[in-house]
Amino acid sequence: MTALEKATGDVVLKFEPFVLHVLCQELQDAQLLHSVAINSGFRNSGITVGRGGKIMMAVRSTHCLEVPLSHKGKLMVSEEYIEFLIHVANRKMEENT
């Protein structure tokens, strides 16, 4: 809260979830891994094939959180709400693990 009160710009609380990038030799391998990831709850997972044929499988969860807290130095939310957001972010971190 002390840091927020001293802030002169915009402050955002941001939590980014687990991301795993896997370089696959064959598209078939990436498709299998993608299927496993989706079935395990990593709904934002996907496959990318680069121009050179490089096949990248990204395993991503949906546990992201991005909330503005202040704008131009003015706190836009209550301390109680910030405590709630911290609780939510910590819960997401536990799920992430």
Side-chain angles (χ1 to χ4, degrees), residues 18-39:
F18 167 82
V19 177
L20 173 67
H21 291 102
V22 180
L23 183 61
C24 299
Q25 278 190 314
E26 303 290 332
L27 183 56
Q28 202 173 333
D29 300 330
Q31 289 170 328
L32 176 60
L33 181 56
H34 181 259
S35 178
V36 170
I38 295 294
N39 290 333

Side-chain angles (χ1 to χ4, degrees), residues 16-75:
E16 293 191 5
F18 167 82
V19 177
L20 173 67
H21 291 102
V22 180
L23 183 61
C24 299
Q25 278 190 314
E26 303 290 332
L27 183 56
Q28 202 173 333
D29 300 330
Q31 289 170 328
L32 176 60
L33 181 56
H34 181 259
S35 178
V36 170
I38 295 294
N39 290 333
S40 297
F42 295 97
R43 294 186 302 254
N44 283 354
S45 299
I47 300 169
T48 305
V49 180
R51 291 183 190 173
K54 186 165 84 170
I55 303 165
M56 186 68 66
M57 167 54 202
V59 179
R60 295 187 204 108
S61 76
T62 58
H63 295 111
C64 58
L65 177 68
E66 187 169 352
V67 182
L69 302 178
S70 71
H71 179 64
K72 296 183 181 177
K74 180 183 178 199
L75 189 59

Side-chain angles (χ1 to χ4, degrees), residues 13-16 62-67 80-96:
L13 173 68
K14 187 171 185 177
F15 172 82
E16 293 191 5
T62 58
H63 295 111
C64 58
L65 177 68
E66 187 169 352
V67 182
E80 179 182 0
Y81 185 65
I82 292 170
E83 289 173 10
F84 168 74
L85 289 174
I86 291 169
H87 173 74
V88 170
N90 285 337
R91 192 173 67 234
K92 286 179 180 291
M93 180 62 89
E94 289 172 13
E95 292 172 9
N96 203 37

